[in-house]
Amino acid sequence: MPDCESVDALAAQVRRDGFAFAEGAAVDAILGAAGGLDDWDVFAESWDHLDPDQYLAATGRYRRRRHAVFDLGAALDSSAAPHRLPDQPHFQTLAHNPLQGGLARWFTPMTDTAVGTRAFQTLMGFGRKVFARLDSAAATGSWRVEAHQFRIEAKPDHAGEPTPEGMHRDGVDYVLVVLVERRNIECGTTSIHAPDGTELGSFTLTRLRDVALVDDQRVLHGVTAVTPRDPSKLAHRDVLVLTYCRGT
C-alpha cells in the first residue's frame, strides 16, 4: 500500500474516532518508505539505559524514563533532522494529571545516540505526517514535540503501572505511542474513553512497533497494569511516547 494511502487511512480513523490502532507490520510498511529502520537495534538498546522516575515516590523504581523536546518545521517531506531544544522540564496541569500535575518534572535527557538514530527520526516524522492531515492549522504550522522513553517494570509482588494517574489527557494536541519491547509481560491494555466516561475502544500493544495514535483534545486514554508472565524472570514494557502540539 502506498505511503500516502496508509497515512491517510490512519488520519481518517483518528478524525472519525478520536484514535487509531495499527499493528506493527502495517506500520513498518509506512516507516520503510518514510525513512527506514536500519538502526532500530541501536535505538531499542537505549531503553537499557533509562533512569528511575523519581517523581513517583515509593513506586518510582518501577518506572524508568528519559525525555527530550523538539521543534519540527511544517514541511512534511523535509529530510532535515528535527531541531532539539535545550533540555527542559516536563509540565502538566493538575487538570490533566491529578497525580503529578503542577510540577516541573526534570527527567534524564535522551542520549544523542538515541535521538540521532534514523529509526527515531522516522517515527517522529511518521506522527507528523498523520497528524498534519487532520486540519489546515496542523498542516501548515510547526510542531513542538516531546519525546518520552518509558520502561515499566513488573515485579512478582508489584504490578507495573504505565498510567498511574488513571484515565487522562496529556494536555497536548496529539499523541503517538510506539511499542518497543514487551518482555515477559501480561496485560497492559489501552482503553480510550469519551469525556463523559463512555468507552470508545480498547487494544493491547503486543507486537514490535504496534502503535496508538490519539487526538488528545477529544478523548482520554489509560493503560492497565502489567504483571510478569513468569514471576521468576525479569519483566518490562518499553514504549516511546511522542506528544505533538501545534506551533505557529
Side-chain angles (χ1 to χ4, degrees):
M1 183 180 293
D3 177 26
C4 61
E5 291 182 13
S6 299
V7 169
D8 283 345
L10 288 170
Q13 187 176 346
V14 176
R15 183 181 297 109
R16 184 188 68 226
D17 301 329
F19 73 99
F21 164 72
E23 294 184 351
V27 174
D28 282 356
I30 302 173
L31 298 179
L37 299 166
D38 52 290
D39 54 4
W40 176 265
D41 289 347
V42 175
F43 180 54
E45 192 272 338
S46 67
W47 264 257
D48 292 335
H49 307 286
L50 307 187
D51 288 338
D53 181 344
Q54 302 291 347
Y55 294 93
L56 283 178
T59 63
R61 64 186 180 278
Y62 299 110
R63 181 160 83 175
R64 299 177 180 274
R65 66 193 296 177
R66 284 181 182 261
H67 173 254
V69 184
F70 302 86
D71 175 51
L72 295 185
L76 298 182
D77 298 319
S78 173
S79 60
H83 172 60
R84 184 170 184 171
L85 298 176
D87 295 333
Q88 54 196 272
H90 175 55
F91 182 84
Q92 293 173 292
T93 66
L94 280 168
H96 291 119
N97 188 333
L99 180 64
Q100 298 173 307
L103 298 174
R105 290 181 286 164
W106 287 91
F107 298 111
T108 306
M110 289 181 67
T111 65
D112 290 340
T113 298
V115 169
T117 59
R118 190 176 182 86
F120 175 70
Q121 295 179 23
T122 298
L123 288 168
M124 189 177 294
F126 163 66
R128 176 175 58 179
K129 282 189 174 185
V130 175
F131 299 137
R133 283 162 165 76
L134 297 177
D135 59 61
S136 58
T140 59
S142 61
W143 297 91
R144 172 188 167 90
V145 180
E146 288 197 49
H148 305 263
Q149 292 178 286
F150 286 102
R151 168 167 287 181
I152 307 302
E153 298 173 331
K155 309 289 184 179
D157 59 346
H158 196 293
E161 295 282 354
T163 55
E165 64 273 38
M167 296 300 303
H168 67 284
R169 288 192 177 106
D170 285 345
V172 297
D173 291 314
Y174 304 104
V175 181
L176 169 63
V177 184
V178 184
L179 182 68
V180 175
E181 184 180 46
R182 278 175 66 103
R183 177 173 295 182
N184 189 33
I185 284 293
E186 296 278 8
C187 303
T189 296
T190 300
S191 59
I192 307 294
H193 288 234
D196 66 2
T198 302
E199 183 173 327
L200 302 176
S202 65
F203 48 85
T204 304
L205 305 179
T206 59
R207 305 168 188 83
L208 180 64
R209 288 184 291 275
D210 279 0
V211 304
L213 302 108
V214 178
D215 184 338
D216 195 57
Q217 297 293 306
R218 293 172 54 197
V219 301
L220 293 80
H221 64 280
V223 184
T224 62
V226 295
T227 57
R229 180 177 294 117
D230 181 345
S232 69
K233 297 180 180 179
L234 294 175
H236 61 249
R237 176 182 186 265
D238 293 349
V239 299
L240 173 70
V241 176
L242 298 174
T243 64
Y244 292 72
C245 288
R246 300 182 192 90
T248 55

